[in-house]
Amino acid sequence: MEVRVANVRKEFDRFPALHDVSLDIKSGELIALLGPSGSGKTTLLRLIAGLERPTRGNIFFGDEDASHKSIQDRNVGFVFQHYALFRHMTVADNIGFGLKVRHGPSRPPAQEIRRRASELLDLVQLSGLEKRYPAQLSGGQRQRVALARAMAIEPKVLLLDEPFGALDAQVRRELRRWLREIHDATGHTTVFVTHDQEEALELADRVVVMSQGRIEQVGTADDIYDTPNSPFVYGFIGESSSLPVKVENGEIWLADRPIGLAAPNEPSGDATLYFRPHDVELLDGCSGCIAGTVAASRRVAGTRRVELEIGGERQRVEIELPVDHPAAHKSRVAFRPGRWKLFPAS
Amino acid sequence: MADPEIKSYEQHHESRSPAVTESRPAQAVLMAIVFAFLGIFLLLPLIIVFHEALAKGVSAYTQSLSDADTRSAIRLTLLVAAISVPLNIVFGISAAWAIAKFEFKGKAFLTTLIDLPFSVSPVISGLVYVLLFGAQGLLGGWLKAHGIVILFAVPGIVLATVFVTFPFVARELIPLMQEQGNGDEEAALSLGANGWQTFWYVTLPNVKWGLLYGVLLCNARAMGEFGAVSVVSGHIRGLTNTMPLHVEILYNEYNAVGAFAVASLLAGLALVTLVLKTLLEMRYGAEIAATRGH
């Protein structure tokens, strides 16, 4: 099922949580809504589910305008951040709940509901736990039951709010891979919210980066990481360093020196240069480069991260050096960014 | 896989560290004070009630309980409880639902209002109804013209009892529902349940222990209320006397056995309430803690 969010605005007590957001989700796609807290990602998910009504704009399921349909009529599977399992019901009853509350002929007989619950438990690899209560399950198991319960109603769209947020790192990684497998097997259109970029980039077909109630960028992991289209995305996804620079006649200047980067299409004036700390070319001499003195250095896994003080303003930037690089405290290092991007000075 | 909830539960039940444990003599003194207090103020009166009731033997006891007026008082008390407790269940659940799950103007005011019967003397509660429904009262003339009798009759007693027992169910449920939030209800709705199914299958089971507590306390108070009922009942023997009022009448007539026999029934009710509450806690303690803790 395709989902189209068209110019949706949402206000809570006059405070806008989403400004004019539009997003097309393709059928069968696995999409991540990624952003810091307060970016509006959960609000967008709840709007798609029908747990909130948009202040303006529409949400389409396929060609049908679902904006004013209730959550019951939208037929979405929603997995809540804290699972919201019914604690007084067994695992099987939890999973069968969505079928049990149906009316008339669409409601399967009790035996069929039990069979379906067992099937779904097999799918989420929890066979045999039918009679357990939620309190008797681990966090990861509850997560799986919540997913099985959401899938029991054969939803058109599967929505997950911070699905792995409450789990420890080991379980998270396991469940992440497992969710991908389930998605590939069942082919549900799936949207999940996360603040963990690693999770979003690894798991999703496309990532929607959000900030302050707006969508900053939509793209595959490669798009988002390699060509961020705003300072926010540069700063939020992966590591980044920035320097205030000037553009003059298509060349980039740092204070009074050109740094050997050409920007022929950029307008002259103040700008901010963004690059990745690991994507730099180290230079020996310095005619047309960025040079600074090492102010701090720390070992990060397989590399060394150093902080350089640059120029008279003592602007600090971070770059990565090989561990065997001889640079010590106060020594001078010259480099030029590999892949970089200019944004107008803020 | 580590489970933070189970862990915290276990920690909760570990014994306290030596640093915050009192010395043995201090413990002994504290416990002595508690037991002495309970013994003098609670246990002793209870024993006296039963002792006095049975002072002239079992037959005098049963005879005084089979007196026509006493029986009518018992019947009336049961009737009043049977009406006011369900009313307060409905009201308590509605109020708790409104306060815990919605945002609206005047919410703080409503919460305060629910506590009113606790802070107002029961006599005042009764007087309010006299001023409202009495012959000289605000609605007295209209009621009389339409032949509706509220004061000095069963409706007045029920109204006064409902008023006095107002807060029990609501107060028990509000913090519970606030703590549980809307998550489970949203989950039920997302699975296709309608409002009524959500309430019946999800909300109600989540608060059932709190509700049962509230109902037990509400019932005990409904049967035991004296002040407010005394003002509105008119003390008509065999008609508008509830058990507590009947106890007073019998006592004032120097019928000690009769008074204490009826009192023993009320005391027995209190004991049954306590035992039920304790049994519930023993049997379902873990589950009660779990539904509260989440």
Side-chain angles (χ1 to χ4, degrees), chain A residues 113-190:
Chain A
I113 294 178
R114 260 203 305 280
R115 197 185 57 76
R116 194 82 191 101
S118 296
E119 249 176 45
L120 281 160
L121 272 180
D122 290 345
L123 179 70
V124 299
Q125 298 161 3
L126 290 178
S127 320
L129 296 190
E130 282 90 342
K131 296 235 165 6
R132 296 270 192 97
Y133 283 90
Q136 299 167 312
L137 301 178
S138 71
Q141 289 172 328
R142 286 181 205 175
Q143 171 66 56
R144 292 170 192 229
V145 172
L147 187 68
R149 183 178 71 176
M151 290 198 298
I153 59 170
E154 284 158 6
K156 295 180 200 158
V157 183
L158 203 53
L159 305 169
L160 302 97
D161 187 8
E162 299 267 5
F164 312 119
L167 303 170
D168 53 53
Q170 180 70 35
V171 183
R172 272 173 105 112
R173 270 193 294 278
E174 233 169 74
L175 279 186
R176 208 186 285 169
R177 193 173 325 123
W178 167 82
L179 180 65
R180 181 78 231 188
E181 282 166 17
I182 295 241
H183 175 265
D184 292 344
T186 58
H188 281 120
T189 306
T190 306

Side-chain angles (χ1 to χ4, degrees), chain B residues 190-201:
Chain B
S190 81
L191 292 166
N194 60 33
W196 180 245
Q197 287 171 320
T198 302
F199 173 74
W200 197 248
Y201 292 130

Side-chain angles (χ1 to χ4, degrees), chain A residues 46 51 71-72 76 78 80 84-89 97-98 100-103 135 137-142 149-150 153 168 171 174, chain B residues 1-6 180 183-195 197-198 201-203 205-206 208 287 290-291 294:
Chain A
R46 290 172 63 89
L51 286 166
I71 182 167
Q72 290 102 325
V76 294
F78 201 103
F80 292 82
L85 294 178
F86 308 131
R87 47 191 153 248
H88 59 278
M89 291 184 202
F97 183 83
K100 187 179 130 190
V101 296
R102 283 188 185 170
H103 289 287
L137 301 178
S138 71
Q141 289 172 328
R142 286 181 205 175
R149 183 178 71 176
I153 59 170
D168 53 53
V171 183
E174 233 169 74
Chain B
M1 290 181 216
D3 188 333
E5 273 162 61
I6 288 176
Q180 290 178 349
D184 284 12
E185 280 79 15
E186 285 185 342
L189 294 174
S190 81
L191 292 166
N194 60 33
Q197 287 171 320
T198 302
Y201 292 130
V202 175
T203 309
N206 274 347
K208 65 183 169 198
E287 204 179 325
T291 43
H294 275 243

Side-chain angles (χ1 to χ4, degrees), chain B residues 50-202:
Chain B
F50 284 98
H51 179 261
E52 289 292 322
L54 295 166
K56 292 185 182 162
V58 179
S59 63
Y61 177 80
T62 49
Q63 203 176 358
S64 59
L65 282 185
S66 54
D67 172 68
D69 288 347
T70 303
R71 290 185 151 237
S72 133
I74 294 173
R75 264 199 305 277
L76 181 60
T77 294
L78 291 177
L79 175 71
V80 168
I83 298 173
S84 53
V85 170
L87 278 179
N88 272 334
I89 291 176
V90 172
F91 165 76
I93 291 176
S94 324
W97 186 287
I99 287 172
K101 316 245 167 181
F102 305 141
E103 290 302 324
F104 56 91
K105 282 201 180 115
K107 187 160 145 172
F109 181 64
L110 181 60
T111 318
T112 317
L113 216 57
I114 288 173
D115 282 344
L116 190 68
F118 275 172
S119 48
V120 161
S121 160
V123 177
I124 310 292
S125 318
L127 266 180
V128 170
Y129 287 100
V130 173
L131 293 175
L132 204 59
F133 301 122
Q136 264 74 48
L138 219 54
L139 304 171
W142 186 86
L143 289 173
K144 196 166 183 197
H146 289 80
I148 303 170
V149 184
I150 291 184
L151 222 51
F152 310 132
V154 175
I157 297 173
V158 170
L159 278 177
T161 308
V162 167
F163 179 82
V164 172
T165 54
F166 227 39
F168 284 102
V169 175
R171 288 217 55 130
E172 198 62 40
L173 292 187
I174 289 168
L176 194 58
M177 282 190 171
Q178 270 172 338
E179 202 177 294
Q180 290 178 349
N182 285 335
D184 284 12
E185 280 79 15
E186 285 185 342
L189 294 174
S190 81
L191 292 166
N194 60 33
W196 180 245
Q197 287 171 320
T198 302
F199 173 74
W200 197 248
Y201 292 130
V202 175

